[in-house]
C-alpha cells in the first residue's frame, strides 16, 4: 500500500532543483502555498529540505514584495496558464501575476527554530517582512482586511463562495486551451468551463493593467476579502513578530502584533455570520457577505480569532455539519456540496492541518484528534492523494501529491498532545 512507503520518497520524487512540484502530472512548477505546506510538514524531521524549499520560493519575490502563486523555474508541459500567458516580466524567473495565502511565514519560523540557523532566520525575516508589507500596502482595506483579486489566490479555487462574485464577470469569448482536462480520471471533478472563462478573463484583465495593484484595486472585476487568506495573514503577522523577537527586534515585533490584532478585530466585526455560525468571506464590490458554510471559517482557530461565545458556535457547526460525514473535514457543506468535486466538498489535507493546528492551540484536543485520525486513515488507506470523498474516502485528483505526503510526515514527527 502506498502509505506504507516513506512519505519522503514522494517528496524526493517530486523534487526539482531546490524545490518540490505539487504533483509531477498536474502541477509541474513551484507553487507558493504548496511550498509553505511542504516546508511546514518537513520543518521538524527534514529542516534542511524545508529551508531549501523556502529559499527557492523567496528567490521568486517581486521587487514590490509580492511572492507569486507560481514560479516557472523549470520547463514543463501540460499546464495552463503557463509563462507565455502571464507575461509578467519578472526578471529572476517567469512567474504568474497573483499570489496565494502566506503560509510560508509560519513554515519559515518553524524551520528557523528547528535549524537554529541565524543566517536563514535573518534572510527569512527580510523576505517575509517585505511580503507582508506588500499585503498591507497593496492588498488591504482601510479597516484592515486583506483581499484577493482572483479565485486562484485563495488556494480554494472552486469554492462555492466564488460563484456569486464570478457571476458579475462577463468574460465574452476567451480563447485558450485547458490542459487540466487531459487526465480522464479527474477531468470531471475539475472546475467547469464557466469558471475557467472567468479565471482566464481575470488574468488578462490584470495583464492589461500591467499588474498594477493600485489600478486593479479600482478596476478588478473580482475583489474578495477571503476569510481563509485573512486568517492565514493574521497568523503570518504573528509568526513574523516571533521571528523578529528571535532577532531581538522588539519594537518591530510589537508593530506586527498590532497589525495582526487590527485584522483579527475586523474579521470579528465584519466576517461573522450568525445564520451559519461561521466566519465567511465578503465581496468587496458589493460589500455583501458570501454566505457559504466553508471549512475556511474554522481556520480562524489557527489565527486565534474566535471569542469564547463564537468558539462555542463554531464548534457546534463543526460537530453538526462537518463531523457528521465519515471523514472530517469536508471543505464545504451546503447547497452546492459535491463530495467528489474539487473544493466543493472533498477533504483536503492542508485545510485539515490548519484546522487541527488551530484546535490544538485553542485547547480543543478532542476535536483535533478526530481530524488527525481521519486524515491519517484516509492517507493510509488510499495513498498521498490530492483530495478525498468525506463520505466513503474515495481518493481523487492527483496521485503522489506533495503536501499530502509532507503533512503526513509532519504528523509522524510531531505528536498532537
Ligand atoms: C491553480 C497546486 C495548486 C494548489 C491550489 C489548487 C490547485 C491550481 C489549478 O493546485 O490550483 O493554482 O490549476 O487548479 O486548487 O490550492 O495550490 O497544488
Amino acid at each position: 500500500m502506498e502509505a506504507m512507503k516513506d512519505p519522503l520518497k514522494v517528496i524526493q520524487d517530486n523534487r526539482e532543483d531546490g524545490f518540490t512540484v505539487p504533483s509531477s502530472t498536474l502541477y509541474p512548477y513551484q507553487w507558493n502555498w504548496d511550498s509553505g505546506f511542504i516546508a511546514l510538514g518537513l520543518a521538524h524531521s527534514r529542516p534542511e529540505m524545508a529551508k531549501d524549499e523556502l529559499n527557492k520560493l523567496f528567490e521568486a519575490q517581486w521587487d514590490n514584495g509580492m511572492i507569486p502563486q507560481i514560479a516557472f523555474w523549470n520547463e514543463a508541459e501540460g499546464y495552463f496558464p503557463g509563462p507565455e500567458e502571464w507575461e509578467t516580466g519578472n526578471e529572476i524567473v517567469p512567474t504568474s501575476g497573483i499570489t496565494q495565502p502566506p503560509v510560508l511565514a509560519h513554515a519559515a519560523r518553524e524551520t528557523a527554530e528547528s535549524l537554529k540557523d541565524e543566517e536563514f532566520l535573518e534572510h527569512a525575516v527580510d523576505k517575509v517582512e517585505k511580503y507582508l508589507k506588500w499585503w498591507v500596502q497593496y492588498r488591504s482595506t482601510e479597516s484592515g482586511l486583506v483581499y484577493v483579486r482572483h479565485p486562484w489566490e485563495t488556494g480554494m479555487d472552486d469554492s462555492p463562495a466564488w460563484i456569486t462574485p464570478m457571476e458579475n464577470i462577463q468574460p465574452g469569448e476567451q480563447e485558450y486551451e485547458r490542459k487540466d482536462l487531459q487526465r480522464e480520471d479527474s477531468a470531471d471533478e475539475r472546475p467547469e468551463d464557466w469558471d475557467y472563462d472567468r479565471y482566464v478573463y481575470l488574468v488578462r484583465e490584470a495583464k492589461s493593467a500591467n499588474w498594477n495593484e493600485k489600478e486593479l484595486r479600482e478596476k478588478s472585476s473580482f475583489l474578495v476579502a477571503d476569510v481563509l487568506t485573512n486568517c492565514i495573514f493574521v497568523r503570518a503577522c504573528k509568526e513574523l513578530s516571533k521571528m523578529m523577537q528571535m532577532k531581538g527586534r522588539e519594537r518591530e515585533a510589537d508593530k506586527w502584533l498590532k497589525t495582526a490584532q487590527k485584522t483579527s478585530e475586523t474579521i470579528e466585526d465584519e466576517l461573522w455570520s450568525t445564520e451559519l455560525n461561521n466566519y465567511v468571506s465578503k465581496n468587496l464590490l458589493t460589500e455583501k457577505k458570501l454566505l457559504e458554510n466553508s471549512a475556511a471559517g474554522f481556520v480562524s482557530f489557527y489565527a486565534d480569532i474566535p471569542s469564547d461565545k463564537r468558539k462555542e458556535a463554531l464548534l457546534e457547526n463543526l460537530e453538526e455539519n462537518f463531523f457528521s460525514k465519515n471523514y472530517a473535514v469536508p471543505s464545504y457543506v451546503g447547497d452546492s456540496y459535491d463530495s467528489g468535486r474539487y473544493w466543493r466538498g472533498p477533504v483536503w489535507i492542508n485545510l485539515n492541518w490548519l484546522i487541527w493546528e488551530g484546535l490544538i492551540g485553542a485547547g480543543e484536543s478532542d476535536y483535533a484528534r478526530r481530524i488527525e485520525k481521519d486524515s491519517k486513515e484516509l492517507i493510509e488507506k488510499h495513498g498521498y492523494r490530492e483530495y478525498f470523498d468525506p463520505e466513503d474516502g474515495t481518493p481523487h485528483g492527483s496521485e503522489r501529491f506533495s503536501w499530502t505526503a509532507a503533512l503526513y510526515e509532519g504528523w509522524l514527527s510531531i505528536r498532537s498532545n
Side-chain angles (χ1 to χ4, degrees):
M1 191 187 286
E2 169 97 48
M4 303 310 288
K5 292 186 199 152
D6 183 358
L8 289 171
K9 174 83 174 61
V10 173
I11 303 295
Q12 261 138 13
D13 290 350
N14 287 345
R15 199 108 171 135
E16 296 275 333
D17 192 11
F19 69 95
T20 315
V21 298
S23 141
S24 57
T25 50
L26 263 185
Y27 313 113
Y29 304 104
Q30 184 173 31
W31 255 260
N32 182 333
W33 83 330
D34 293 66
S35 287
F37 287 115
I38 292 163
L40 260 182
L42 300 180
H44 293 264
S45 64
R46 289 290 187 281
E48 286 291 343
M49 280 170 83
K51 169 177 150 180
D52 288 352
E53 190 74 40
L54 293 169
N55 277 339
K56 193 76 180 181
L57 188 59
F58 293 154
E59 265 185 68
Q61 184 162 45
W62 285 19
D63 287 345
N64 69 2
M66 183 180 84
I67 298 187
Q69 164 225 20
I70 309 175
F72 301 104
W73 293 109
N74 45 326
E75 304 244 326
E77 295 283 305
Y79 188 79
F80 172 83
E84 61 293 339
E85 174 67 43
W86 292 96
E87 296 179 305
T88 52
N90 190 37
E91 279 170 18
I92 293 160
V93 55
T95 71
S96 66
I98 55 176
T99 190
Q100 270 187 326
V103 172
L104 59 86
H106 180 185
R109 197 268 302 157
E110 296 249 2
T111 304
E113 264 182 10
S114 192
L115 279 174
K116 302 190 177 46
D117 172 339
E118 279 302 316
E119 210 181 305
F120 173 71
L121 176 62
E122 179 98 33
H123 186 55
V125 168
D126 271 5
K127 292 293 192 172
V128 173
E129 185 186 23
K130 200 170 165 200
Y131 184 34
L132 296 185
K133 278 187 173 165
W134 173 85
W135 277 100
V136 174
Q137 184 178 354
Y138 294 110
R139 292 298 192 88
S140 297
T141 63
E142 256 172 45
S143 67
L145 292 176
V146 292
Y147 66 84
V148 296
R149 53 170 177 73
H150 197 295
W152 286 335
E153 292 198 310
T154 69
M156 295 178 73
D157 319 340
D158 200 23
S159 164
W162 318 142
I163 297 173
T164 309
M166 294 250 284
E167 269 168 358
N168 284 322
I169 303 173
Q170 307 302 330
E173 280 284 309
Q174 294 294 328
E175 276 194 30
Y176 59 95
E177 189 195 340
R178 285 185 71 168
K179 299 204 173 145
D180 58 320
L181 303 180
Q182 284 165 0
R183 291 201 29 162
E184 280 169 21
D185 50 352
S186 55
D188 60 355
E189 299 154 11
R190 296 276 310 168
E192 299 187 1
D193 287 347
W194 186 91
D195 301 284
Y196 256 82
D197 285 351
R198 285 159 178 78
Y199 296 158
V200 172
Y201 176 84
L202 289 171
V203 170
R204 292 176 180 167
E205 181 182 69
K207 184 161 60 174
S208 73
N210 289 321
W211 310 105
N212 181 322
E213 292 295 342
K214 287 204 174 112
E215 189 176 334
L216 288 166
R217 174 75 179 94
E218 301 306 317
K219 77 178 234 200
S220 176
S221 305
F222 184 96
L223 278 190
V224 167
D226 165 38
V227 62
L228 178 70
T229 307
N230 272 279
C231 293
I232 294 175
F233 173 77
V234 168
R235 176 75 183 238
C237 292
K238 291 182 185 174
E239 295 292 355
L240 175 59
S241 172
K242 272 191 207 154
M243 288 195 282
M244 296 229 158
Q245 246 164 9
M246 285 158 78
K247 300 278 325 154
R249 291 163 64 177
E250 299 295 335
R251 275 197 23 228
E252 288 150 291
D254 200 45
K255 188 188 131 254
W256 282 103
L257 272 191
K258 290 199 174 100
T259 306
Q261 188 60 27
K262 180 173 175 192
T263 306
S264 296
E265 283 166 11
T266 316
I267 293 173
E268 275 292 73
D269 290 349
E270 295 185 23
L271 301 186
W272 178 254
S273 158
T274 320
E275 296 94 308
L276 294 173
N277 273 346
N278 205 349
Y279 295 94
V280 295
S281 300
K282 187 162 100 174
N283 185 353
L284 295 181
L285 295 180
T286 57
E287 289 296 321
K288 288 208 172 99
K289 285 181 195 159
L290 298 164
L291 292 174
E292 298 291 355
N293 207 359
S294 161
F298 302 115
V299 178
S300 52
F301 286 113
Y302 172 75
D304 194 19
I305 288 169
S307 61
D308 282 351
K309 202 168 142 228
R310 294 225 167 129
K311 187 168 149 183
E312 215 174 284
L314 274 170
L315 291 176
E316 199 182 302
N317 179 16
L318 182 68
E319 180 118 36
E320 227 172 76
N321 299 308
F322 291 80
F323 276 11
S324 52
K325 316 263 181 222
N326 288 324
Y327 294 99
V329 177
S331 40
Y332 164 83
V333 300
D335 291 347
S336 308
Y337 171 76
D338 181 337
S339 66
R341 181 174 277 279
Y342 219 40
W343 290 101
R344 302 205 169 181
V347 175
W348 290 74
I349 298 302
N350 64 332
L351 274 191
N352 272 15
W353 178 278
L354 296 176
I355 300 170
W356 166 81
E357 170 105 37
L359 288 167
I360 301 260
E364 296 295 340
S365 49
D366 286 350
Y367 288 97
R369 244 192 305 274
R370 159 95 197 257
I371 296 175
E372 180 181 348
K373 181 181 138 298
D374 287 4
S375 307
K376 284 184 176 161
E377 195 177 313
L378 284 168
I379 296 168
E380 282 158 15
K381 277 195 180 149
H382 305 289
Y384 303 108
R385 295 293 291 263
E386 190 178 354
Y387 46 99
F388 304 87
D389 187 312
E391 282 156 49
D392 60 11
T394 305
H396 290 283
S398 177
E399 287 169 16
R400 303 174 68 71
F401 193 64
S402 294
W403 79 41
T404 307
L407 294 172
Y408 184 75
E409 167 69 17
W411 269 310
L412 297 186
S413 54
I414 313 161
R415 298 302 325 146
S416 66
N417 57 354

mmCIF file of all heavy atoms in Angstrom, residues 369-383:
data_model
loop_
_atom_site.group_PDB
_atom_site.id
_atom_site.type_symbol
_atom_site.label_atom_id
_atom_site.label_comp_id
_atom_site.label_asym_id
_atom_site.label_seq_id
_atom_site.Cartn_x
_atom_site.Cartn_y
_atom_site.Cartn_z
ATOM 1 N N ARG A 369 -7.871 15.679 17.583
ATOM 2 C CA ARG A 369 -7.511 14.261 17.417
ATOM 3 C C ARG A 369 -8.349 13.590 16.324
ATOM 4 O O ARG A 369 -7.870 12.788 15.552
ATOM 5 C CB ARG A 369 -7.701 13.516 18.740
ATOM 6 C CG ARG A 369 -6.384 12.974 19.286
ATOM 7 C CD ARG A 369 -6.605 12.010 20.432
ATOM 8 N NE ARG A 369 -7.405 12.589 21.492
ATOM 9 C CZ ARG A 369 -6.903 13.324 22.487
ATOM 10 N NH1 ARG A 369 -5.606 13.524 22.571
ATOM 11 N NH2 ARG A 369 -7.685 13.836 23.417
ATOM 12 N N ARG A 370 -9.642 13.936 16.285
ATOM 13 C CA ARG A 370 -10.507 13.337 15.256
ATOM 14 C C ARG A 370 -9.974 13.701 13.860
ATOM 15 O O ARG A 370 -9.955 12.874 12.943
ATOM 16 C CB ARG A 370 -11.954 13.850 15.456
ATOM 17 C CG ARG A 370 -12.842 13.748 14.238
ATOM 18 C CD ARG A 370 -13.680 12.484 14.218
ATOM 19 N NE ARG A 370 -14.204 12.220 12.877
ATOM 20 C CZ ARG A 370 -15.449 12.452 12.475
ATOM 21 N NH1 ARG A 370 -16.333 12.929 13.324
ATOM 22 N NH2 ARG A 370 -15.816 12.162 11.242
ATOM 23 N N ILE A 371 -9.569 14.959 13.689
ATOM 24 C CA ILE A 371 -9.085 15.404 12.376
ATOM 25 C C ILE A 371 -7.775 14.700 12.009
ATOM 26 O O ILE A 371 -7.595 14.219 10.898
ATOM 27 C CB ILE A 371 -8.915 16.942 12.360
ATOM 28 C CG1 ILE A 371 -10.294 17.591 12.543
ATOM 29 C CG2 ILE A 371 -8.244 17.416 11.079
ATOM 30 C CD1 ILE A 371 -10.280 19.101 12.659
ATOM 31 N N GLU A 372 -6.907 14.578 12.990
ATOM 32 C CA GLU A 372 -5.636 13.897 12.721
ATOM 33 C C GLU A 372 -5.883 12.421 12.381
ATOM 34 O O GLU A 372 -5.323 11.882 11.414
ATOM 35 C CB GLU A 372 -4.712 14.014 13.944
ATOM 36 C CG GLU A 372 -3.373 13.338 13.724
ATOM 37 C CD GLU A 372 -2.436 13.411 14.932
ATOM 38 O OE1 GLU A 372 -2.719 14.172 15.875
ATOM 39 O OE2 GLU A 372 -1.421 12.690 14.912
ATOM 40 N N LYS A 373 -6.768 11.808 13.144
ATOM 41 C CA LYS A 373 -7.059 10.378 12.936
ATOM 42 C C LYS A 373 -7.651 10.148 11.539
ATOM 43 O O LYS A 373 -7.221 9.261 10.805
ATOM 44 C CB LYS A 373 -8.027 9.901 14.024
ATOM 45 C CG LYS A 373 -8.408 8.440 13.947
ATOM 46 C CD LYS A 373 -9.395 8.105 15.068
ATOM 47 C CE LYS A 373 -10.522 7.209 14.617
ATOM 48 N NZ LYS A 373 -11.439 7.685 13.588
ATOM 49 N N ASP A 374 -8.653 10.951 11.178
ATOM 50 C CA ASP A 374 -9.292 10.781 9.867
ATOM 51 C C ASP A 374 -8.304 11.032 8.728
ATOM 52 O O ASP A 374 -8.302 10.326 7.721
ATOM 53 C CB ASP A 374 -10.481 11.746 9.707
ATOM 54 C CG ASP A 374 -11.682 11.307 10.555
ATOM 55 O OD1 ASP A 374 -11.554 10.321 11.297
ATOM 56 O OD2 ASP A 374 -12.740 11.957 10.461
ATOM 57 N N SER A 375 -7.473 12.054 8.886
ATOM 58 C CA SER A 375 -6.508 12.378 7.823
ATOM 59 C C SER A 375 -5.557 11.208 7.616
ATOM 60 O O SER A 375 -5.311 10.775 6.493
ATOM 61 C CB SER A 375 -5.687 13.620 8.193
ATOM 62 O OG SER A 375 -6.524 14.683 8.525
ATOM 63 N N LYS A 376 -5.053 10.694 8.728
ATOM 64 C CA LYS A 376 -4.090 9.587 8.608
ATOM 65 C C LYS A 376 -4.752 8.360 7.997
ATOM 66 O O LYS A 376 -4.163 7.668 7.171
ATOM 67 C CB LYS A 376 -3.523 9.232 9.977
ATOM 68 C CG LYS A 376 -2.486 10.219 10.475
ATOM 69 C CD LYS A 376 -1.957 9.690 11.789
ATOM 70 C CE LYS A 376 -0.837 10.525 12.341
ATOM 71 N NZ LYS A 376 -0.653 10.274 13.764
ATOM 72 N N GLU A 377 -5.993 8.105 8.435
ATOM 73 C CA GLU A 377 -6.690 6.922 7.914
ATOM 74 C C GLU A 377 -6.893 7.030 6.396
ATOM 75 O O GLU A 377 -6.668 6.064 5.661
ATOM 76 C CB GLU A 377 -8.033 6.786 8.625
ATOM 77 C CG GLU A 377 -8.663 5.430 8.429
ATOM 78 C CD GLU A 377 -9.969 5.317 9.219
ATOM 79 O OE1 GLU A 377 -9.988 5.693 10.414
ATOM 80 O OE2 GLU A 377 -10.960 4.857 8.621
ATOM 81 N N LEU A 378 -7.312 8.198 5.951
ATOM 82 C CA LEU A 378 -7.518 8.392 4.505
ATOM 83 C C LEU A 378 -6.224 8.126 3.748
ATOM 84 O O LEU A 378 -6.208 7.437 2.724
ATOM 85 C CB LEU A 378 -7.982 9.836 4.226
ATOM 86 C CG LEU A 378 -9.442 10.138 4.571
ATOM 87 C CD1 LEU A 378 -9.707 11.645 4.526
ATOM 88 C CD2 LEU A 378 -10.389 9.419 3.606
ATOM 89 N N ILE A 379 -5.141 8.660 4.258
ATOM 90 C CA ILE A 379 -3.855 8.518 3.571
ATOM 91 C C ILE A 379 -3.390 7.054 3.633
ATOM 92 O O ILE A 379 -2.925 6.486 2.646
ATOM 93 C CB ILE A 379 -2.808 9.469 4.189
ATOM 94 C CG1 ILE A 379 -3.229 10.926 3.964
ATOM 95 C CG2 ILE A 379 -1.428 9.208 3.615
ATOM 96 C CD1 ILE A 379 -2.448 11.964 4.756
ATOM 97 N N GLU A 380 -3.533 6.456 4.807
ATOM 98 C CA GLU A 380 -3.054 5.077 4.942
ATOM 99 C C GLU A 380 -3.865 4.108 4.086
ATOM 100 O O GLU A 380 -3.337 3.125 3.569
ATOM 101 C CB GLU A 380 -3.045 4.672 6.426
ATOM 102 C CG GLU A 380 -1.824 5.281 7.114
ATOM 103 C CD GLU A 380 -1.952 5.422 8.626
ATOM 104 O OE1 GLU A 380 -2.859 4.808 9.206
ATOM 105 O OE2 GLU A 380 -1.126 6.158 9.212
ATOM 106 N N LYS A 381 -5.145 4.405 3.904
ATOM 107 C CA LYS A 381 -5.958 3.521 3.051
ATOM 108 C C LYS A 381 -5.747 3.783 1.569
ATOM 109 O O LYS A 381 -5.799 2.871 0.756
ATOM 110 C CB LYS A 381 -7.441 3.743 3.347
ATOM 111 C CG LYS A 381 -7.944 2.984 4.537
ATOM 112 C CD LYS A 381 -9.466 2.977 4.523
ATOM 113 C CE LYS A 381 -10.033 2.234 5.692
ATOM 114 N NZ LYS A 381 -11.312 2.768 6.125
ATOM 115 N N HIS A 382 -5.585 5.055 1.215
ATOM 116 C CA HIS A 382 -5.665 5.401 -0.212
ATOM 117 C C HIS A 382 -4.426 6.060 -0.806
ATOM 118 O O HIS A 382 -4.435 6.381 -1.987
ATOM 119 C CB HIS A 382 -6.854 6.347 -0.440
ATOM 120 C CG HIS A 382 -8.153 5.803 0.064
ATOM 121 N ND1 HIS A 382 -8.799 4.758 -0.565
ATOM 122 C CD2 HIS A 382 -8.912 6.135 1.140
ATOM 123 C CE1 HIS A 382 -9.925 4.487 0.113
ATOM 124 N NE2 HIS A 382 -9.998 5.301 1.141
ATOM 125 N N GLY A 383 -3.424 6.319 0.006
ATOM 126 C CA GLY A 383 -2.216 6.937 -0.546
ATOM 127 C C GLY A 383 -2.250 8.460 -0.471
ATOM 128 O O GLY A 383 -3.206 9.057 0.010
#
